[in-house]
Structures are given as structure tokens and as C-alpha cells.
């Protein structure tokens, strides 16, 4: 069947829900299904309304259930009972969010942050000594990186680890209040140990941030020199005991330095396989990328749950009867409701396909299959971009779904509010989204610069001229005028333009390139010698740079969605998914329409047809909305929302039956409105009779 | 001083914080201050982390404190101990949100909804009989309007009140499950009575929805025929005992019909001062507009609290040191942070000034001073538009402020998360925001139609031609081309254009008019005879209509902000507020830039200067951000946020002092980076020395 035939055949396009479900489950489908099955059980799911203390104890108990189910050891070495399966481990872990985000994050603290810090920053000796206890939960632990004074800027933390060659110990110290470790899961109550990040100082030299294994609690609580404070109640994730820690000259053995990237000999000599302190720091922090990868997946899973509940309800719930006397409209038939839910559904599909690619990239790097410097950098950038977009999107989707279900959406048992409260912090932890996007933006700028690094001046000059010509052409609006001439009067031509994959790619790519180019051009003239001036110049473009990074992330999602279409074998499914991909692309272009117009990428005529065309696509997708959410594959044991279990339909049937019987009976009251209308009609008839 | 001089004098513009504070407090400043003082006391403020049951009891107890403080009787008649002060009552009530939104809404249920239903829908006899007990809280009551099956569409509720002339009673009945009353505050536990909305049926005729006073609980709980169910845990407002109620042929005296707008005589004859059932229904519902008015004020107050906390923190907190070796940047100095907080500050000012005008309008109508049909309609439209915008804005502002404070924003004691959780429901209760905006949109369409109702065909035809010409002129881009010619190369000219009040008004007004005109034109040809077709045509424009209503609401805010500028006497304050108003207007235009461009209202050249000019304004406003939030006037007893109490500054001073001393001492460690740089320099010097 040709592309054209496929597109024409829209009337009977149907989705193969099972096949689409399998496609969404992706490469680690079996592990994902196993984790989902576990997440749906009574033993690990959240209990709404538990007080903070009870919630913490329940989640801690649930961690043991995870251990017993073999759900959390996949990332660890085979010889210690793990599977060396990095992608699978994340796939399994992120599905836990549907049980209770507190469980997901507490597990993430224990095995993702604390455990994997020992795994990735430590060496064989550390693995053998501590990983078994970490894996079995014998040693609950904290990941002590963030301080009160420094979260995003980890390099500037204040905690010190000073080597004392006389005793062959490191002395961990918190020099001032702002250097207290802060927001650490497991630090409030359960943690027995911590991986503590501190400035490593030996022989009078500060070698920068390194990680140290420190015992923080025994049966009597904190040992001398260690103190802490419970962070208490939070906006969500109250199943986790976040807290603060501080150290007053706490001595630990030299061997407790997790020394994969930096060692200190007995006499205090420092050495590292990575010469540059800057690169060393980023390499150490790079091992933590899995947190971002898993948050991207978990946030996307939460969006799926929200949409599955809200679309199911919108397909049952009715309100107002504009088009008929007796039957009210289903919410999903309102254009505004379609506008609220379907573009978010499209975005969630894009996020899901993009996450699958991110997970593959992650697995490649962490398994060692594709582990060049460039791979690592790409992974970092990819994860930073996707984590930022999907965590913000989850909050937005959960909220819109909550509102789309009205007051019922606000009742705790319908899930939205607690999920949203828990996921709130996802947008600022494991890298604040704005800071992450700025990193993505800087990488884009660097890449932009590197394109020309090895070219000689002549080529560069030609490029600049060409680039400048393009800018001038776009800005003068000549390109859009040309479009206008081609389009005049034809909405169909315009629709054909917008649904063309190559055009979507060109529009989305062009925006990223042009924005980055504009920033690069603006910063090119600024001297980097005057630090304050260059910082000010950069700051004056910060907002634009973050916007460019967002646009880049959306482009990555579009590419992933488009690649997924190519892998969709069922024709009907591919047809519907193509409309959904088009909605994803075109609502992005709608959101940034000002940019496309003022930079001459779209003509006024074409732009004016865009919203109408999106509405047509929404209308076309509307009958498939239920299939599209059902393909997410979550069962009632995951949704656990009373409004999505069919009760609404039952109530409506009961009400309809009541009114049907009433109308058929003798004692049905007449509406006053009807009486008034009848009286008017009678008066008119009498008047006309009189005339005769 | 001329406008020009004022604008030039930007360097030393300062805000008179006290005077601006007074201006913001508005007409009911004294009452507002009294209510704030009460809201800051230990007795009425919220306690984070209370379980649901304890929270409910605490809030119920706090209602008694409000009674004892005389805080809740202002709207009631003088002869019963009230003040007949409608505007003042709302002003006082909405300030309670800073104590605990549960308290505000529980008070709103008791005295605003339940009490005012008796006041406005009942007559003298009802007032004398029940208002004293309602005012004193002897009779806690529920407002039983919404049903499981019908929230937004009140006219379709299923509960019936059938008059039985034999016993002179109304029989209240719930005919099916979907007609259970739902989400009623006070129904879960505390309510002893309820105003129940039901279809009034007498002598075989249904006269539509009326209100009835029903006793629902005595010392033994529900009497026979009444049942209920607790709604349990919600996403927020857990200090309120929402619940369901249902009635099985419950008999109440004829006199319990709240009969201001509809009476039934002993023999069952119905009469009403309002002949049209439709108008009668909307008049009865119209008395409930105060709920929307007060939510507008409360939501705006919550935004103020959030901004006062977040801006204070952003002025203290530092992170990263791009511009210097020793001093880190204050968050507020980052362009992105300014972009996040200052436009929301501008919007909150606009909302505050607009709310003050809404409150005056409300007071005029409810005091009887300005009470024409048009006044009532304007009030309804005004309240619907502002309530929708400000409640959504509060969620957005609370969230952005939470994120801007990072992890600290997520700790419960810093207020954002609980306020946001509580205010979540504000966007869908007392009228779902999307439904309210649709009502606003319909009113705009009606007004648009009425402009021409009395004109003869000739005039109308001329208008249509003229209108069409305008459309053509705009769409062909001729207007924007003209702008482009005038602007070429001058960013200053463009800035002058954007800061001109008349241009801002024209751009904002034009968008509303043009959007409404476009929808009206599209619907004009549709026959209203085929109900399904006409409903479908309307539905195809629903999203656009709601967008037009939003734009209308924003225009109302802009007008109110601009009028407030004219009343600002201090020159420095007016200068700064004018920039803030400009930011409000121009970020609105930025958000809708696509519309302005594709409809030829702005040239590409001019549009491209807009974001840069907004950034300049933000930079100019940055030093005034603290004054602008301080003028909101909330004290530490209202903010109650640890991060806004100066602790951050203290910690930073301690850390700075530590590093200063360390640098001055002999045993300061040297950074490895510095050593590497020194080594490089030495090598270079040796190399050059060798060359010599």
C-alpha cells in the first residue's frame, strides 16, 4: 500500500491496541511487564492519606518486598547476584512510580544513587565489601551530595575531606551551616551509611569533589561527630525520610574514598586516571545520569496513567445537551476538551518513544558497548533535555487531567492530586530543569562553534556570507511572500504543507539552528577576558538559550516519534499514529507561531490555516482516543481511580432509564417552559383564527 | 512633570512602599487590615501536617473564633447584628486565605453559600428564623446544589421537590444515584441543615430549580430518609468535610421553600415575580456571584504571598559565580529568573487592581446602589472572567515560585506546596473556569450582535463592507508592511511604539474584537433550526471563543492597571508601576505574537524587537522587585516561610567569612586547577627563556 493510499483510507483506520502496546513497552518489555505486575499488587502500592511517619515505615517495608521480588538488583554485577543489565534495571525501576512515587524514589535513593555511587565511583574492593549489604537493604544509605548552600553548583560544596597521613584517615568536616548536607533521602530516619561528597584535600592541595563512604548510624543513632535534622513534611514524597547531615571532623579509613577516578596513597600522594580536574569532575557526575534517565521514564509513565484515567472518564461523562433534548454531550466531543487532552496525548507518545531511545543510549554507554566520550556527552545532553521536558509535562498533564475531571479529579482516590504532589519535585531534583536546559544550550553552542573549528578562514567567510544572506532572506519576509503566492486561497495546499514530514522536520530543525546561531553570533564579539562583561553578555541571552534547548528537546522527541512510525507495521495503527505525530509537531509550531512568522519561516496565509487544520486532526483522532490510552496498558490495579472504572456509565444508564420511564408514565410533570411555549402557540393560533 | 520627563528620570525612580501598599489595600483597607491581623494569629492559622480528621476539627473550631471576632457578619442585615456591607464582607473574607485556605472556604460555605442563600433567596421570615443561628454557627449548614451527575449544568439536576397540597409539604427526593448531592462542604460531618436545590414540581408542572431549607442532622445523625457519604481525602482543603447527601421522600414544610423568586400557595399554585423560567433561574444563580468575586480576591492574595516569599529568597540566595572568583550571583540577577518572576508580579498587580474594581461593582449591585439588569450582567461577566484568570494564575505563580526556590520550595514549611494543593480546586469550583470563560465568550458574541440590532440594513451592509475591508487590509499584511517601512532599523522607534499606552490598548482591544468578530461571522450563516448542526458549528469555534474570553479578561485587567496608574500620585512609584504595566501588556502580546503577526497587526521587524524590549524592562524593574512585593504588605506572621526570614543571608555571611579567613591563613589548600595553571605558565616561561 502506498503512502497516498494509506492517507486516503482514513475512514476505517483502526488501531491494533495489543501491537501498539507492545511497541510502547519497547526493548525491555518483559522486565517492564514484570515490574508493572509487582507495582499493581497490594503489597507495594500507596495508601492514600497515611500520615508521614506511617507512610515512611510502609515504604521502607516495601523496599524489602522489592528485594525479595528480585526487582532491584539488575544493574549490579553478576558475581554479586545482579544482572549487569543497566537499561533493564531502569525500565523496571521507573514502572514503580505507578505504585507510589515515594517507593520509586526511595528505591532510587537506595539502589540508584547510593548503591550506584559505590558501584560506579568505587572499585572492586568497595563492591565486594558494601554492595551485598546495599543490595539486600542491610545497609540503607543516603547520597550526600547536595548542601543547603549548593545544589545546582555541586563543584562549590563546602564539605571537606582532608587526608591525614599520620593515621591514614580522611577527616570529613562541615565548616559552616551552609555546608550541611540537605534533602538526603534515608538521612532522616533509616540511613546507616552515606556516600558523602566532599572536597578532597591532601598535602595542601584541593583536588576537587570526591565521594567517600561514611557510616552514619548504628544502633544508638548518630556516632560522635555526626549530627542531622529531619526535613519533616514536604509537598509530596512523604514516604521518604529526607534530612540533613553534618560532620565535625569525622575520621574514616583511607580505603573509604571511592577511588575509581582519584586515589590517595598512604603517604598522601594523589593520582587520577583523568588529568584535568574539570573533566574528572564531570566524569564522576556523569555516572549519575541514570537518575535523570529514570525520571524521564517515570514522569512519562505518570502522564500515561493520568491520560488513561482522564480520557476514559471523558468518554463516559456527559454534561449539557446543546444538540438534543434527551441526550447530553460526552465531554470528549467538546472541541475544547479535545484541545486539552489530545495534544497532551500526542506529547506523551513522543516522550515515550524518545525515552525508549534514551534508554537504549544509556544501556549502550553503561554496558560499555558504545562508550566513547562523544557517546557519554550525547547521553548527558539527551537525558538533560528529555528529563526537563517530561517532568514539566507530567505536572502539566496531571493538572489538566485533574481539571478535565472536575471535582472528581480532586478526590484523592482518583490519583491525580497525589501523583502531581509527588512529581512536583521531579522538575528541580536530579538537576534543576532550567539549569539542565542551560547545559543543553551550552552544548548546542559548542557544537555550533565546532562545525567551523577546522575550516580555514576562506570557507568560514563564505559560510558567514551565506548564513547572513539566509538571515536577510528570511527576515525580509521574501520566503513567506513566496509561500503566500503559492498558497493563495488553498487551505488544502496549506494542509498538505503542514502534514509533510520533511516540512515538519525543516520547521522544527530550522528553529533550533537559527536560535542557536543568533545567540552564537551575538556572543561572538564579546571578549572572554573581562569575566564580568562576558558573564553579563551570556546572561542577556540566557532566556533565549533555554528556549533553544527546549526546542532542541522537542525536535529529539519528534525524530523519535517519526522513527517509531517507520517501525509500526500495522497500517491502520500507523495512519492514526501519523495524525498524532502531526498533532505533536503542529501544536509545537502553533505555540511558537510568532517566531515562525517574524523570522519569515511561515507566511501569514499559511499560519492562519494552522489552527483549523489542527482542529481537523483532533476531530479525526477523537474516535481513537480510547484505543490510544488503552495501548499504554495500565490495568485497574494501576489506575486505581474510581472515575475510570465504569461507575459513571452505570449512573447515567440508571438516570436515562428513570427519565424514559417517567416520560412514558402518566404522572410526568410538564416543564413550565413547555407550557409557556404551548400558550404562546395557542395565542398565535387564536389570533390567526380571528383573522380568518 | 510631563510624561516625557517622568520617563527619562528612570535612574532615581523609587517606590513609596507605604503609599503603594495603601493603594493596593483599596477601598476596604481598614477591614482588610483587621482581617489580615486576625489571619496572622496562632488561633486561626493552619498547622502543616495535621491528619484529615484533626484538620477538620481544628478548622471547625476556628470558625467559632471568626464568629467571636465579628469577622463574618458584615454581609448580613443590620437588624440581625450584621452591617449590610457586601464589599467589605468579601474583602475581609478573602484575606483568610493566608491563614489557611480550608478556613477561608469552610467560612465561605457557612456564611457565603449556605448563609447567603438563605439571605438572598429567602424572605424576611426565613431571615429571622435561621440567620441568627447561621451567623452564630449554631446551625452549621451545607449548600446542596451540585450532584454527582450535574455540576456545571445546574439546570439539569435530578433532585425533585414535589408539593403535596394535602399536607402542605414539599417532598424532597433523589430519584437515582447520579442525583446524589456531591462535594458539599459541611455535609461530611458538621452540617445540621442544608439549602437543597431541587426541581420544584407542583400541580404536575416542573417550575425548575429552586432552593429549600432542610434539616439534615440532629443529635442522632441523619434523620430517616436522609443518607450521605463522606468524600474523604482530597487533593487539598482537607480541613473541610465534603460529602454527599441523598433524600428519600423527605417531607419539609411548605414554608421551607426559599421563596424570594418563586412561591407556592397552600393549594399548590405557583407564582414568581419573574415570568421567564430561564431568567428566573439565572437571577437565582446570580445571587451566588459573590463566591466567584471572593475567589478572585483570595487567589490573588495567594499569588502575592508566593511572590513575596520567592522574590525575597531570590534576592538573598546565590548560586554559581560566572562573573567573579569569590562572589556568587544572586538568583534575581539571572535573566531567566527575572523572566520567571517579574511578569508574574506584573500580572498579580494587574489582577489586584482589577479585583478592586470588581469588588466595587459587586458592592454597587448588592447594596442596591447600581442594580440595573445590565449592572448585574456586567458583574457576572466581570466576575467569571477575572475568577478564571486569577485562579489559574495563582496555581501557575505558586508553582513557578516553588520551583524558583528549588528543593526548599518543596519543604512544607515554606508554604507553596500546601497553598497550591488547596487552591487547585479553585479553578473548577464555583464555576469551572472553562465553562465560565465560555459564558464570557457568549456574552461577547451577544454584545457584538447587539451593536447592530437597531440599525437598518443599509448601515449594517456598509459596516460589513468596511469590516471586510479591514480584514482584507490586515490580512494582506499591508498594515504591517507600512509599519515595517516606518520602523526600519530603529529599535528605539519600536520601543516607543510598544510603551505607548494607546498602542497597548489598541493591540489588546483589537485582538478581542477581531476574534469575536471572526467567530460571529462564522456562526452567522448557520441555521439555528437544526439543533445538532448549530451545536456542531458552535463547538467548532469553542476553543477560539474561550481564547477570546481570556483575551477580554486580560484587557479588563490592563484597563484596571492603567486606571490605577492615573491614581498613583507619587512620581517615582508611578514610573516603576508604568514599567510593570508595560511588562504586563507586552508579555501578553509576546504570548500571542503569532496572532498579531498573522493578522497583520504587527510587522515582522517590530515583532522581533519585542522580547529584547521586555528584557530591558525586566532589567529596569529588577532593583525594585523587593519593594514591589513588600508593598503587598504581608508580614512574617502571614508568610511563615523559613526561606524568607533572612536565614539564607546569615548562612552566606558565615560561609564568606570562613573562606575569607581561610584565604588569609597559612594553611589554605591550593586548588589543583591553580597548580596546573601555574605549571603551564612556568613551562611556557622556561620555553620562552630557552628561546632567548
Amino acid at each position: 500500500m502506498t503512502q497516498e493510499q494509506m492517507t486516503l483510507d482514513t475512514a476505517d483506520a483502526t488501531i491494533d491496541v495489543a501491537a501498539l502496546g507492545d511497541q510502547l513497552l519497547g526493548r525491555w518489555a518483559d522486565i517492564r511487564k514484570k515490574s508493572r505486575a509487582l507495582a499493581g499488587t497490594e503489597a507495594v502500592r500507596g495508601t492514600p492519606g497515611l500520615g508521614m511517619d506511617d507512610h515512611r515505615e510502609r515504604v521502607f517495608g516495601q523496599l524489602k518486598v522489592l528485594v525479595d521480588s528480585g526487582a532491584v538488583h539488575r544493574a549490579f554485577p553478576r558475581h554479586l547476584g545482579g544482572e549487569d543489565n543497566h537499561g533493564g534495571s531502569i525500565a523496571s525501576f521507573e514502572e514503580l512510580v505507578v505504585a507510589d512515587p515515594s517507593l520509586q524514589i526511595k528505591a532510587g535513593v537506595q539502589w540508584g544513587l547510593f548503591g550506584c555511587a559505590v558501584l560506579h565511583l568505587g572499585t572492586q574492593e568497595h563492591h565486594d565489601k558494601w554492595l551485598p549489604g546495599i543490595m539486600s537493604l542491610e545497609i540503607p544509605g543516603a547520597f550526600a551530595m547536595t548542601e543547603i548552600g549548593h545544589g545546582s553548583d555541586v563543584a562549590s560544596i563546602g564539605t571537606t575531606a582532608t587526608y591525614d597521613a599520620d593515621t591514614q584517615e580522611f577527616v570529613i568536616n562541615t565548616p559552616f551551616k551552609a555546608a550541611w548536607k540537605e534533602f538526603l533521602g534515608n538521612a532522616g530516619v533509616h540511613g546507616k551509611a552515606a556516600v558523602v561528597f566532599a572536597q578532597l584535600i591532601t598535602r595542601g592541595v584541593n583536588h576537587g569533589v570526591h565521594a567517600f563512604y561514611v557510616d552514619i548510624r548504628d544502633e544508638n543513632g548518630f556516632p560522635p561527630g555526626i549530627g542531622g535534622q529531619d526535613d519533616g513534611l514536604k509537598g509530596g514524597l512523604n514516604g521518604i525520610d529526607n534530612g540533613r547531615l553534618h560532620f565535625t571532623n569525622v575520621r574514616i579509613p583511607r580505603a573509604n574514598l571511592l577511588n575509581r577516578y582519584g586515589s590517595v596513597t598512604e603517604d598522601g600522594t594523589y593520582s587520577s586516571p583523568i588529568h584535568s580536574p574539570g573533566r574528572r569532575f564531570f566524569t564522576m557526575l556523569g555516572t549519575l545520569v541514570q537518575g535523570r534517565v529514570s525520571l524521564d521514564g517515570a514522569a512519562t509513565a505518570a502522564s500515561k496513567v493520568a491520560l488513561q484515567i482522564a480520557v476514559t472518564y471523558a468518554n463516559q461523562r456527559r454534561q449539557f445537551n446543546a444538540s438534543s433534548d434527551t441526550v447530553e454531550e460526552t465531554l470528549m466531543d467538546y472541541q475544547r476538551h479535545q484541545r486539552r487532552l489530545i495534544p497532551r496525548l500526542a506529547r506523551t507518545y513522543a516522550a515515550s518513544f524518545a525515552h525508549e531511545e534514551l534508554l537504549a543510549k544509556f544501556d549502550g554507554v553503561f554496558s560499555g558497548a558504545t562508550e566513547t566520550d562523544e557517546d557519554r556527552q550525547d547521553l548527558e545532553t539527551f537525558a538533560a533535555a528529555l528529563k526537563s521536558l517530561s517532568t514539566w509535562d507530567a505536572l502539566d498533564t496531571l493538572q489538566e487531567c485533574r481539571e478535565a475531571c472536575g471535582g472528581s479529579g480532586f478526590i484523592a482516590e482518583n490519583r491525580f492530586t497525589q501523583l502531581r504532589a509527588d512529581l512536583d519535585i521531579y522538575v528541580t531534583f536530579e538537576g534543576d530543569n532550567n539549569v539542565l536546559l542551560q547545559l543543553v544550550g551550552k552544548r548546542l553552542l559548542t557544537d555550533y562553534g565546532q562545525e567551523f573549528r577546522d575550516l580555514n578562514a576562506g570557507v568560514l567567510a563564505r559560510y558567514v556570507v551565506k548564513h547572513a544572506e539566509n538571515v536577510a532572506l528570511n527576515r525580509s519576509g521574501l520566503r513567506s511572500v513566496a509561500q503566500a503566492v503559492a498558497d493563495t486561497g488553498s487551505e488544502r495546499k496549506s494542509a498538505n504543507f503542514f502534514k509533510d514530514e520533511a516540512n515538519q522536520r525543516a520547521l522544527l530543525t530550522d528553529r533550533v539552528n537559527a536560535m542557536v546561531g543568533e545567540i552564537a553570533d551575538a556572543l561572538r564579539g564579546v571578549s572572554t577576558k573581562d569575566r564580568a562583561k562576558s558573564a553579563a553578555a551570556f546572561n542577556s541571552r540566557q532566556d533565549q538559550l533555554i528556549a533553544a534547548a527546549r526546542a532542541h528537546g522537542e525536535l529529539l522527541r519528534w525524530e523519535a516519534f517519526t522513527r517509531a512510525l517507520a517501525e509500526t507495521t500495522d497500517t491502520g495503527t500507523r495512519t492514526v499514529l501519523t495524525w498524532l505525530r502531526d498533532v505533536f509537531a503542529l501544536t509545537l509550531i502553533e505555540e511558537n507561531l510568532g517566531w515562525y512568522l517574524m523570522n519569515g519561516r511561515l507566511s501569514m496565509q499559511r499560519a492562519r490555516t494552522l489552527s483549523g487544520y489542527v482542529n481537523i486532526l483532533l476531530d479525526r483522532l477523537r474516535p481513537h482516543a480510547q484505543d490510544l490510552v488503552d495501548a499504554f496498558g495500565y490495568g485497574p490495579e494501576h489506575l486505581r481511580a474510581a472515575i475510570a472504572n465504569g461507575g459513571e456509565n452505570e449512573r447515567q444508564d440508571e438516570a436515562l432509564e428513570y427519565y424514559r420511564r417517567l416520560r412514558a408514565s402518566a404522572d410526568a410533570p410538564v416543564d413550565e417552559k413547555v407550557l409557556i411555549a404551548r400558550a404562546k402557540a395557542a395565542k398565535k393560533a387564536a389570533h390567526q383564527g380571528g383573522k380568518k
Side-chain angles (χ1 to χ4, degrees), chain A:
Chain A
M1 188 179 258
T2 68
Q3 181 77 20
E4 198 173 28
Q5 280 172 310
M6 203 182 81
T7 323
L8 291 172
D9 245 1
T10 60
D12 42 30
T14 53
I15 293 179
D16 180 339
V17 177
L20 179 55
D22 285 341
Q23 190 176 357
L24 285 165
L25 284 168
R27 181 168 147 195
W28 290 275
D30 289 342
I31 289 178
R32 220 177 257 286
K33 280 194 227 166
K34 212 179 281 181
S35 182
R36 280 192 193 186
L38 181 63
T41 60
E42 175 58 34
V44 302
R45 66 166 74 146
T47 311
L50 276 186
M52 182 181 82
D53 294 335
D54 293 340
H55 193 184
R56 286 174 171 189
E57 286 316 304
R58 175 156 167 85
V59 169
F60 189 54
Q62 289 170 333
L63 289 191
K64 290 169 194 150
V65 177
L66 297 184
V67 172
D68 295 342
S69 314
V72 285
H73 295 159
R74 292 191 180 86
F76 294 98
R78 276 186 210 281
H79 76 274
L80 295 172
E83 301 176 12
D84 283 322
N85 183 348
H86 300 275
S89 173
I90 299 286
S92 164
F93 169 66
E94 61 200 20
E95 290 292 337
L96 294 177
V97 76
V98 308
D100 180 353
S102 282
L103 177 64
Q104 185 222 339
I105 299 303
K106 180 107 170 169
V109 167
Q110 174 66 16
W111 294 291
L113 292 172
F114 173 59
C116 282
V118 173
L119 177 65
H120 295 305
L121 301 179
T123 45
Q124 183 76 37
E125 184 191 338
H126 303 125
H127 297 173
D128 294 342
K129 184 166 179 191
W130 293 312
L131 285 184
I134 291 171
M135 290 165 72
S136 72
L137 201 65
E138 209 179 298
I139 315 172
F143 181 79
M145 186 156 80
T146 295
E147 297 178 354
I148 296 176
H150 289 95
S152 293
D153 183 8
V154 175
S156 299
I157 56 171
T159 305
T160 51
T162 310
Y163 185 65
D164 179 350
D166 292 341
T167 60
Q168 298 195 20
E169 289 169 323
F170 283 102
V171 183
I172 310 284
N173 192 50
T174 306
F176 41 77
K177 178 79 188 266
W180 281 30
K181 295 294 176 184
E182 170 64 307
F183 305 134
L184 320 177
N186 273 340
V189 178
H190 298 127
K192 292 185 180 168
V195 168
V196 177
F197 288 80
Q199 308 284 351
L200 188 160
I201 299 165
T202 179
R203 295 187 161 189
V205 178
N206 182 346
H207 293 279
V209 175
H210 287 66
F212 301 84
Y213 185 96
V214 184
D215 291 311
I216 61 164
R217 264 195 197 91
D218 54 27
E219 54 280 11
N220 303 314
F222 291 131
I226 299 184
Q229 195 179 342
D230 197 312
D231 280 327
L233 199 72
K234 304 183 294 293
L237 293 186
N238 279 307
I240 303 169
D241 54 327
N242 293 84
R244 297 171 163 186
L245 289 178
H246 55 87
F247 305 88
T248 308
N249 297 319
V250 173
R251 290 181 167 265
I252 57 169
R254 181 177 67 94
N256 280 25
L257 165 64
L258 299 176
N259 63 341
R260 177 166 170 196
Y261 296 110
S263 299
V264 171
T265 58
E266 290 182 8
D267 69 352
T269 307
Y270 179 85
S271 69
S272 167
I274 305 176
H275 182 67
S276 152
R279 228 186 114 221
R280 189 191 309 142
F281 173 73
F282 286 110
T283 304
M284 282 199 263
L285 257 63
T287 59
L288 308 171
V289 72
Q290 64 184 339
R292 290 169 195 166
V293 175
S294 68
L295 294 187
D296 179 51
T300 304
S303 289
K304 288 177 181 175
V305 166
L307 285 163
Q308 205 172 337
I309 296 171
V311 169
T312 301
Y313 184 68
N315 269 327
Q316 296 179 8
R317 176 75 176 179
R318 294 167 180 274
Q319 200 77 180
F320 292 109
N321 57 337
S323 65
S324 134
D325 264 346
T326 48
V327 182
E328 296 168 294
E329 321 292 334
T330 306
L331 294 193
M332 202 67 216
D333 285 326
Y334 286 104
Q335 186 189 51
R336 177 86 193 118
H337 222 76
Q338 294 168 12
R339 270 273 176 188
R340 293 165 76 182
L341 296 182
I342 298 178
R344 287 177 172 87
L345 188 53
R347 197 172 64 188
T348 303
Y349 264 83
S352 187
F353 292 129
H355 176 68
E356 185 65 17
E357 295 195 352
L358 172 60
L359 208 51
K361 183 93 204 158
F362 169 77
D363 191 70
V365 169
F366 276 69
S367 70
T370 51
E371 204 201 358
T372 67
D373 257 17
E374 206 188 340
D375 284 319
R376 286 196 172 271
Q377 273 185 33
D378 284 351
L379 171 62
E380 293 262 352
T381 309
F382 200 9
L386 293 191
K387 180 269 183 182
S388 304
L389 298 187
S390 60
T391 53
W392 270 327
D393 288 345
L395 297 190
D396 170 72
T397 298
L398 282 159
Q399 181 64 23
E400 196 68 46
C401 288
R402 172 343 246 156
E403 293 180 27
C405 296
S408 297
F410 192 59
I411 300 295
E413 69 169 4
N414 289 320
R415 300 293 303 284
F416 303 117
T417 54
Q418 189 59 55
L419 276 173
R420 198 204 166 285
D422 288 332
L423 267 78
D424 182 357
I425 192 65
Y426 288 39
V427 303
T428 53
F429 74 0
E430 296 284 313
D432 176 276
N433 283 359
N434 277 294
V435 175
L436 290 180
L437 286 179
Q438 185 168 303
L439 290 178
V440 173
K442 283 182 176 173
R443 172 82 192 278
L444 293 175
L445 278 178
T446 308
D447 284 359
Y448 185 88
Q450 275 173 345
E451 267 189 52
F452 312 110
R453 195 159 52 183
D454 302 326
L455 301 178
N456 63 43
V459 175
L460 185 55
R462 273 202 303 282
Y463 173 83
V464 169
V465 170
K466 205 179 148 210
H467 181 61
E469 259 172 14
N470 257 323
V471 169
L473 181 69
N474 285 324
R475 292 217 163 156
S476 68
L478 290 181
R479 188 189 276 191
S480 67
V481 168
Q483 266 185 18
V485 171
D487 285 353
T488 310
S490 168
E491 292 203 2
R492 176 139 45 105
K493 253 189 194 163
S494 193
N496 283 335
F497 171 84
F498 282 123
K499 76 181 172 202
D500 186 294
E501 199 165 286
N503 289 335
Q504 290 177 15
R505 177 180 282 118
L507 287 169
L508 296 175
T509 309
D510 196 20
R511 179 154 177 263
V512 179
N513 288 345
M515 286 173 91
V516 173
E518 195 179 325
I519 300 165
D521 288 352
L523 297 180
R524 207 185 301 278
V526 180
S527 156
T528 52
K529 285 186 182 164
D530 183 332
R531 192 164 159 182
K533 258 192 195 162
S534 110
F538 186 82
N539 192 39
S540 76
R541 296 285 172 165
Q542 190 192 24
D543 196 58
Q544 204 182 1
L545 186 67
I546 287 173
R550 284 194 81 125
H552 175 68
E554 298 290 11
L555 173 61
L556 295 175
R557 285 172 157 188
W558 182 90
E559 296 281 3
F561 202 153
T562 301
R563 274 189 290 270
L565 288 181
E567 284 165 20
T568 307
T569 49
D570 178 69
T571 314
T573 306
R574 192 168 62 237
T575 301
V576 179
L577 278 192
T578 303
W579 300 334
L580 197 67
R581 193 274 320 267
D582 292 351
V583 164
F584 174 67
L586 300 180
T587 48
L588 277 176
I589 292 166
E590 252 188 331
E591 275 167 32
N592 300 296
L593 199 54
W595 189 91
Y596 287 103
L597 281 158
M598 74 184 180
N599 290 294
R601 263 63 169 189
L602 283 177
S603 70
M604 291 163 70
Q605 285 83 343
R606 201 160 266 178
R608 280 200 305 273
T609 67
L610 180 56
S611 287
Y613 183 57
V614 170
N615 289 340
I616 288 171
L617 286 173
L618 296 179
D619 201 46
R620 213 181 273 170
L621 282 162
R622 186 257 167 274
H624 305 283
Q626 192 67 49
D627 282 350
L628 286 167
V629 294
D630 287 346
F632 291 149
Y634 291 107
E637 73 279 20
H638 303 117
L639 304 183
R640 305 196 299 279
I643 47 169
N645 71 1
E648 182 62 28
N649 269 345
E650 278 171 38
R651 279 191 298 269
Q652 283 175 17
D653 289 346
E654 185 200 353
L656 280 175
E657 177 61 16
Y658 167 84
Y659 285 121
R660 200 192 54 72
R661 283 197 191 176
L662 191 66
R663 279 193 302 272
S665 76
D667 52 337
V670 186
D671 269 8
E672 186 186 340
K673 280 181 197 172
V674 174
L675 288 185
I676 292 173
R678 276 188 206 155
K680 260 192 196 164
K683 204 172 164 188
K684 200 175 168 189
H687 184 69
Q688 284 176 337
K691 268 192 181 170
K692 266 186 212 164

